[in-house]
């Protein structure tokens, strides 16, 4: 391995390298030294506690930007930290920056640090400077800041409370409000009042309580405005000095030592208050230019004015007023305070006040000191005052003088206004209006009234006291001493100064009725506007008279006089009343009536309803009638009447009557019942309260009579129709309801009067029952048919001889008449046959039936029918004893109500039977109507009379079988009518 060796030639090679390295190091050290910023030195702070401003200054080298940090020392809370540009003061070489604190600087200690900044490069922080607050432990007092601060309206103010050492904080109050607080340090608390309003004269109290409320401390804040005067102007009163005035404007709400101070042209000014917000300041010498400066703790305001002295003259008030008085004028005099006015051209006003009425008179002159006031009223009290102004370059009116009073002298009164009123009975009055104070010109002592006849030159004078304004007239008495047609009445007023001019009126002695059309006057614009045609006789004018239309005698009239040539006037009076009608008349000056009107100041509704409202019934109509409303109650022009009908609580209009002369109305077509009607009169103002009348409609006699007549007519018509029909159908009616009853056919001539019949007694007839089949219950009556006529259908029954000595064989048929048995009408003296009628067909053989024997009548035995007993083969029928003779059929006696059947009675004695002559036949009736109804009308033949000489029923049975059903089904009504007609036939 080779060895290395060091030779002397190596040293020179290392030295240049070490030199280069050294030089490079020195360069790097120099560059680093240039990059390091200067730390701010000698930091100082200067507080302005009232302005809450902190002034900070330091030495900062060449840097232009610095970081400032302000902290609350105790709690180490940052209050302000910003980078601010600050330039160096060339004279002091120091940097300075001002910071305004939100909280008062006394509230707590503040720490301030500063460092230089150049872009992103900053120096080290300077030493911390501390502004000591009032919350240091060494300061143990309970206090509040700021004290007695003055702030503008709308500002925000922060207050702080430092509690006593060792105590607890309570609350902070702004006025009556409890505020929210922020803790600044261990003992300091702050609150902020936002947008503060103006305070009162003593300011706004802000106070702080500890906890508990054992102690309090506080401060006062004054909130107001800076001054803002206006209307600044200067003028002269004596042509030498100046008086400047202005308006202080809005209230600053700052008083006492904080009030506004004024200076005029840089001279303090003693301000005098003239009126509210009006201020005045006087300067001994006039200057053409003026400047007013107003200052208070919140700021100042200046205003200027300029003018020549002759352009701003405002005279003072005149003094020591006196007057020289007359009846119709007065001279007023006064004096001036300044002699300089003697050469000044003045323009003056004199204000007169009389009876609360003011008038102004203007006067002018150089150095004016007196004026003459004309057109005054005698015996009048006046008050006068004067003011003046510069006639040239008029600026303003001077002040009014003090009022001065005087009274004018009296004078003769004016002529009174005279008129007359004449009644219809030739009496009347002379009337004149009382003189007013301005017309009397003094106290009236009396009136003199004279009646004068021009043609006969006769007059009569009468003196009346001052409070009398009416003199009565009697035209009848006046005609005794004057034959003239008119008399002139003259009235003169007197006072201490003399008599007035005479006032006259013409009085006609003979009244003439003038029929004039009465027009309607309409009240408008405070009166009745009237117009008329011009009258040639009214050379001296017109008189318009009016009075209450209700008055008819000695009316309290009013009037106005219209000059000749005028043909219209508006009648006005304070005595006009609403709802009163007034008569208005137009007269010429010669008392001739020209025109008449009537009118209301205001129409009202009638004060009373229509009188005498009555109702009367007229068939189905109701007539309403009423009387007229008296004029005193109308209170307007009646336009008509409204008629209502009452429907419960509502009124329904029936009619409107616009014809005032018609006071009747008929309500038509009403039904029976109660009605209530109301009648209301109405004017243009409305309806009256209404009059009410009630009526109850009764059935009306005319309709009742018509109904009766109609009923009678209908009944008569019905009877006529029935009669006509019955007449036309009389054969049918006779056949249906009243068939002919055949008379008994007897041999011989019965038309002549016959004597007693000699009838031989006949032997007893014998009846033989030939056959008895089973009885049909529907067959209850036997019809006897002669055996020899069976083949001939029963024809010619009435032609066979009545009496025969041969036994006759009869065939009987059952006919339904009644379900009950037929009672014997003529019982025999012998025992009755007990044979039953149960068979449908029975052949009976009569033996020895004589003509004197009565017709056989069978009685159905109910017991025999029901029990089926058989009758005897030979039944002997006895006719009773005695001598023979004609025996008529007998009318059976009606059964008793209890339907108890009496035992059969024997016939009367033969002597009784044969004693008389012919006896008429009697109708056959059923026992009772009940039996007739029960029979169902099926046995009409039983109701027919039967001849004593016949052996069968006289009425035919119909003869043919096809009529059997019809005979068996007659109606009850037909049966009843048939029985009725049969029973009533003689």
């Amino acid at each position: 391995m080779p060895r290395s060796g060091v030779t002397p030639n190596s040293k020179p090679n290392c030295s240049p390298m070490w030199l280069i390295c050294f030089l490079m190091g020195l360069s790097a050290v120099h560059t680093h030294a240039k990059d390091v910023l200067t730390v701010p030195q000698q930091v100082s702070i200067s507080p302005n506690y009232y302005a809450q401003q902190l002034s900070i200054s330091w030495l900062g080298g060449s840097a232009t930007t610095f970081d400032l940090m302000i902290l609350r020392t105790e709690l180490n809370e940052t209050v302000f930290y910003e980078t601010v540009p600050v330039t160096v003061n060339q004279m002091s070489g120091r940097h300075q920056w001002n910071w305004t604190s939100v909280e008062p600087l006394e509230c707590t200690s503040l720490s301030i640090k500063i460092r230089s900044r150049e872009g992103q490069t900053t120096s080290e922080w300077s030493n911390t400077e501390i502004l000591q607050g009032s919350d240091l432990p060494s300061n143990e007092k309970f206090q509040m800041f700021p004290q007695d601060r003055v702030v503008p309206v709308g500002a925000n103010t922060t207050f702080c409370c430092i509690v006593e050492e060792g105590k607890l904080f309570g609350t902070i109050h702004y006025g009556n409000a409890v505020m929210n607080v922020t803790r600044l340090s261990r003992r300091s608390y702050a609150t902020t009042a936002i947008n503060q309003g103006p305070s009162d004269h003593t300011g706004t109290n802000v106070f702080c309580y500890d906890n508990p409320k054992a102690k309090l401390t506080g401060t006062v804040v004054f909130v107001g405005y800076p001054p803002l005067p206006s209307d600044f102007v200067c003028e002269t009163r004596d042509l030498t000095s100046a008086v400047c005035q202005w308006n202080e404007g809005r209230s600053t709400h700052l008083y006492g030592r904080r009030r506004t101070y004024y200076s005029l042209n840089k001279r303090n000014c003693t301000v005098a208050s003239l009126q509210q917000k009006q201020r005045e300041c006087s300067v001994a010498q006039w200057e053409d230019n003026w400047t007013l400066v107003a200052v208070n703790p919140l700021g100042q305001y200046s205003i200027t004015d300029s003018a020549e002295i002759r352009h701003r003259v405002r005279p003072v008030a005149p003094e020591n007023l006196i007057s020289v008085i007359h009846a119709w004028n007065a001279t007023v005099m006064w004096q001036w305070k300044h002699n300089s006015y003697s050469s000044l051209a003045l323009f003056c006003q004199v204000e007169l006040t009389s009876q609360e009425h003011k008038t102004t008179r203007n006067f002018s002159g150089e150095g004016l000191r007196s004026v003459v006031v004309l057109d005054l009223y005698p015996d009048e009290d006046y008050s006068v005052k004067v003011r003046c102004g510069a006639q040239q370059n008029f600026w303003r009116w001077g002040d009014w003088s003090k009022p001065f009073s005087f009274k004018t002298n009296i004078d003769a009164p004016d002529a009174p206004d005279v008129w007359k009123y004449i009644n219809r009975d030739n009496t009347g009055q002379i009337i004149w209006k009382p003189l007013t104070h301005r017309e009397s010109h003094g106290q009236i002592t009396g009136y003199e009234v004279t009646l004068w006849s021009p043609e006969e030159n006769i007059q009569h004078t009468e003196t009346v006291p001052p409070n009398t304004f009416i003199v009565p007239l009697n035209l009848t008495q006046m005609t005794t001493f004057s034959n003239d047609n008119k008399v002139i009445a003259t009235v003169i007023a007197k006072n201490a100064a003399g008599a007035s001019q005479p006032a006259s009126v013409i009085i006609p002695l003979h009244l003439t009725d003038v029929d004039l059309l009465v027009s309607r006057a309409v009240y408008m614009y405070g009166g009745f506007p009237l117009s008329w045609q011009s009258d040639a006789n009214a050379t001296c004018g017109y008189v318009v008279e009016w009075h209450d239309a209700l008055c008819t005698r000695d009316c309290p009239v009013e009037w106005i006089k219209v000059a000749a040539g005028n043909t219209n006037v508006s009648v006005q009076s304070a005595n006009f009343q609403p709802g009163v009608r007034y008569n208005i008349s137009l007269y010429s000056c010669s008392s001739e009536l020209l025109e008449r009107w009537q009118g209301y100041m205001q129409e009202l509704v009638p004060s009373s309803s229509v009188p005498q409202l009555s109702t009367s019934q007229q068939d189905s109509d109701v007539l309403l009638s009423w009387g007229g409303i008296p004029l005193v109650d109308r209170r307007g022009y009646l336009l008509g009447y409204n008629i209502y009908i009452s429907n419960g609580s509502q009124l329904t209009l029936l009619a409107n009557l616009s014809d005032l002369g018609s006071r009747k109305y008929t309500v038509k077509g009403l039904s029976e019942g109660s009605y209530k009607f109301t009648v209301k009169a109405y004017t243009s103002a409305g309806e009256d309260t209404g009059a009410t009348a009630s009526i109850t409609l009764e059935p009306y006699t005319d309709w009742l009579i018509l109904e009766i007549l109609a009923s009678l007519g209908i009944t008569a018509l019905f009877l006529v129709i029935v009669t006509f029909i019955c007449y036309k159908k009389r054969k049918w009616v006779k056949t249906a309801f009243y068939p002919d009853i055949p008379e008994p056919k007897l041999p011989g001539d019965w038309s002549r009067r016959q004597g007693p019949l000699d009838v031989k007694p006949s032997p007893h007839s014998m009846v033989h029952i030939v056959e008895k089949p089973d009885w049909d219950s529907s067959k209850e009556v036997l019809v006897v048919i002669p055996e020899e006529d069976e083949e001939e259908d029963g024809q010619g029954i009435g032609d066979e001889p009545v009496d025969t000595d041969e036994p006759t064989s009869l065939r009987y048929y059952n006919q339904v008449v009644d379900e009950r048995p037929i009672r014997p009408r003529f019982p025999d003296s012998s025992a009755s046959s007990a044979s039953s009628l149960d068979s449908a067909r029975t052949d009976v053989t009569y033996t020895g039936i004589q003509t004197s024997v009565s017709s056989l009548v069978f009685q159905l035995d109910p017991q025999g029918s029901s029990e089926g007993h058989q009758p005897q083969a030979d039944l002997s029928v006895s006719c009773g004893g005695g001598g023979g003779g004609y025996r008529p059929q007998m009318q059976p006696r009606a059964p008793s109500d209890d339907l108890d059947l009496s035992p059969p009675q024997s016939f009367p004695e033969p002597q009784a039977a044969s004693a008389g002559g012919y006896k008429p036949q009697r109708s056959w009736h059923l026992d009772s109507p009940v039996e007739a109804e029960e029979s169902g009308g099926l046995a009409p033949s039983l109701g027919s009379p039967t001849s004593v000489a016949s052996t069968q029923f006289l009425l035919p049975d119909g003869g043919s079988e096809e009529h059997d059903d019809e005979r068996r089904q007659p109606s009850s009504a037909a049966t009843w009518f048939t029985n009725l007609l049969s029973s009533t036939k003689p």
Side-chain angles (χ1 to χ4, degrees), residues 44 246 389 501 659 775 863 930 956:
S44 67
W246 66 90
Q501 293 295 322
D659 184 9
W775 175 66
Q863 294 178 357
V930 176

Side-chain angles (χ1 to χ4, degrees), residues 523 526-527 546 558 570-577 601:
Y523 187 89
W546 66 90
E558 296 183 68
S570 179
V571 177
Q572 300 178 351
S573 174
N575 297 324
F576 284 146
Q577 298 294 328
M601 171 190 174

Side-chain angles (χ1 to χ4, degrees), residues 442-737:
Q443 183 68 36
I444 297 297
T445 58
Y447 296 94
E448 187 177 278
V449 181
T450 302
L451 298 177
W452 173 55
S453 176
E455 295 185 359
E456 301 182 5
N457 198 18
I458 300 174
Q459 67 179 17
H460 170 74
T461 302
E462 181 181 355
T463 301
V464 297
N467 56 351
T468 301
F469 311 104
I470 297 175
V471 173
L473 288 176
N474 192 323
L475 301 184
T476 304
Q477 294 180 357
M478 293 175 64
T479 56
T480 58
F481 67 89
S482 176
N483 295 324
D484 197 357
N485 292 329
K486 63 182 179 179
V487 172
I488 298 176
T490 302
V491 179
I492 297 175
K494 294 183 178 181
N495 66 6
S500 68
Q501 293 295 322
S504 60
V505 61
I506 298 176
I507 302 173
L509 296 181
H510 302 286
L511 297 179
T512 57
D513 293 334
V514 180
D515 189 11
L516 293 178
L517 178 65
V518 179
S519 303
R520 183 174 295 184
V522 180
Y523 187 89
M524 61 177 63
Y525 306 116
F528 291 99
L530 306 176
S531 61
W532 58 89
Q533 297 293 329
S534 178
D535 187 86
N537 296 326
T539 57
C540 53
Y542 303 91
V543 177
V544 179
E545 168 197 281
W546 66 90
H547 59 84
D548 190 343
L550 297 176
C551 180
T552 58
R553 180 180 178 82
D554 294 340
C555 299
V557 298
E558 296 183 68
W559 69 92
I560 55 173
K561 293 184 177 180
V562 183
N566 292 341
T567 58
N568 58 79
V569 71
S570 179
V571 177
Q572 300 178 351
S573 174
N575 297 324
F576 284 146
Q577 298 294 328
V580 178
R581 181 182 293 186
Y582 293 95
N583 287 339
I584 305 174
S585 304
L586 175 67
Y587 293 89
S588 66
C589 57
S590 59
S591 300
E592 179 184 358
L593 180 62
L594 302 178
E595 200 162 345
R596 297 184 64 187
W597 296 271
Q598 282 187 342
Y600 288 88
M601 171 190 174
Q602 179 184 353
E603 292 191 59
L604 303 177
V605 299
S607 60
S608 66
S609 56
V610 296
Q612 302 172 2
L613 177 62
S614 62
T615 58
S616 61
Q617 180 179 354
Q618 295 180 349
D619 297 337
S620 62
D621 303 337
V622 173
L623 176 63
L624 302 176
S625 61
W626 57 90
I629 299 179
L631 181 61
V632 66
D633 297 331
R634 294 183 184 179
R635 306 202 299 175
Y637 294 109
L638 291 183
L639 302 180
Y641 302 93
N642 287 332
I643 293 91
Y644 297 91
I645 186 171
S646 177
N647 296 325
S649 60
Q650 296 182 348
L651 295 179
T652 302
L653 180 64
L654 293 178
N656 170 261
L657 303 182
S658 58
D659 184 9
L660 299 179
S662 175
R663 291 195 290 270
K664 293 182 180 180
Y665 181 74
T666 301
V667 184
K668 298 183 178 180
L670 297 177
S671 58
E672 298 180 9
S674 297
Y675 296 92
K676 183 183 292 185
F677 299 96
T678 300
V679 178
K680 294 185 178 182
Y682 64 93
T683 64
S684 61
E687 297 178 330
D688 61 13
T689 56
T692 302
S694 300
I695 188 173
T696 300
L697 294 185
E698 302 292 343
Y700 35 93
T701 57
D702 292 347
W703 277 104
L704 184 59
I705 294 174
L706 290 176
E707 289 178 358
I708 294 173
L709 293 177
S711 301
L712 292 176
I714 292 172
T715 304
L717 179 62
F718 176 74
L719 293 176
V720 169
I721 293 173
V722 171
T723 304
F724 178 76
I725 293 174
C726 291
Y727 176 76
K728 286 293 187 180
K729 301 293 183 178
R730 57 186 179 277
K731 293 182 179 181
W732 176 83
V733 172
K734 185 174 186 323
T735 303
F737 295 99

Side-chain angles (χ1 to χ4, degrees), residues 25-68:
L26 289 177
S27 177
V29 170
H30 179 71
T31 302
H32 179 71
K34 290 182 65 178
D35 291 340
V36 175
L37 296 177
T38 304
V39 177
Q41 302 295 325
Q42 300 179 15
V43 177
S44 67
I45 55 177
S46 176
N48 184 346
Y49 289 102
Y50 186 84
Q52 297 181 186
Q53 194 174 72
L54 188 63
S55 179
I56 308 170
S57 65
W58 66 92
L59 292 172
S62 60
T64 59
T65 305
F66 300 89
D67 290 339
L68 271 74

Side-chain angles (χ1 to χ4, degrees), residues 76-135:
N76 199 27
E77 294 176 348
T78 300
V79 178
F80 180 82
Y81 178 46
E82 286 186 9
T83 300
V84 295
V86 181
T87 59
V88 65
N89 190 334
Q90 297 299 328
M91 295 184 64
S92 63
R94 296 177 67 86
H95 295 80
Q96 184 175 355
W97 190 78
N98 296 324
W99 174 70
T100 300
S101 174
V102 175
E103 298 92 6
L105 299 178
E106 299 93 338
C107 292
T108 187
S109 298
L110 298 175
S111 298
I112 300 96
K113 295 188 298 182
I114 306 171
R115 70 181 178 182
S116 301
R117 172 179 290 275
E118 195 69 39
Q120 297 299 324
T121 305
T122 60
S123 69
E124 296 293 333
W125 288 104
S126 67
N127 295 328
T128 301
E129 292 293 326
I130 298 176
L131 178 65
Q132 300 295 331
S134 297
D135 58 345

